[in-house]
């Protein structure tokens, strides 16, 4: 996928349960919807996905696999959409 899209960077990002603090589902959905709107408005190529905690400490979380996003900017977005 990365090769076919000629992506030079990528990352996963979610607005669910920021800083590993469980939030109500409605809050998680609202914040993740804001993140999705941001990605669409800024014309990022992304795919919706679901992340699973291997230890089972958290329920599955919706997230975005984003292409061509610099790592430092990804971290800034993570803080913004907390």
């Amino acid at each position: 996928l990365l090769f076919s899209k000629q992506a030079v960077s990528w990352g996963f990002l979610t607005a669910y349960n920021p800083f590993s603090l469980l939030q109500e589902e409605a809050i998680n959905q609202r914040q993740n919807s804001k993140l999705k709107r941001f990605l669409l408005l800024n014309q990022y190529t992304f795919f919706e996905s679901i992340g699973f905690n291997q230890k089972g400490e958290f329920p599955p979380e919706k997230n975005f696999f984003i292409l061509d996003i610099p790592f430092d900017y990804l971290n800034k977005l993570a803080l913004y959409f907390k």
Side-chain angles (χ1 to χ4, degrees):
L1 177 65
L2 297 174
F3 181 75
S4 68
K5 297 286 186 181
Q6 299 179 347
V8 295
S9 60
W10 60 273
F12 286 95
L13 186 59
T14 185
Y16 270 62
N17 303 317
F19 302 110
S20 299
L21 298 173
L22 287 173
Q23 301 291 314
E24 293 180 21
E25 183 64 19
I27 293 170
N28 284 331
Q29 288 179 2
R30 184 174 59 245
Q31 290 301 98
N32 230 39
S33 291
K34 289 179 184 178
L35 173 55
K36 183 177 181 177
R37 276 194 302 277
F38 174 86
L39 296 172
L40 288 168
L41 288 172
N42 289 279
Q43 299 181 340
Y44 279 98
T45 299
F46 66 92
F47 301 88
E48 295 183 55
S49 56
I50 298 176
F52 295 90
N53 180 274
Q54 292 180 344
K55 295 181 180 180
E57 296 168 340
F58 290 92
E61 298 178 340
K62 294 180 181 179
N63 59 54
F64 303 98
F65 175 62
I66 310 164
L67 301 180
D68 287 322
I69 187 164
F71 187 72
D72 58 333
Y73 191 62
L74 187 70
N75 284 333
K76 289 177 185 177
L77 288 178
L79 291 174
Y80 182 80
F81 286 99
K82 61 179 175 158

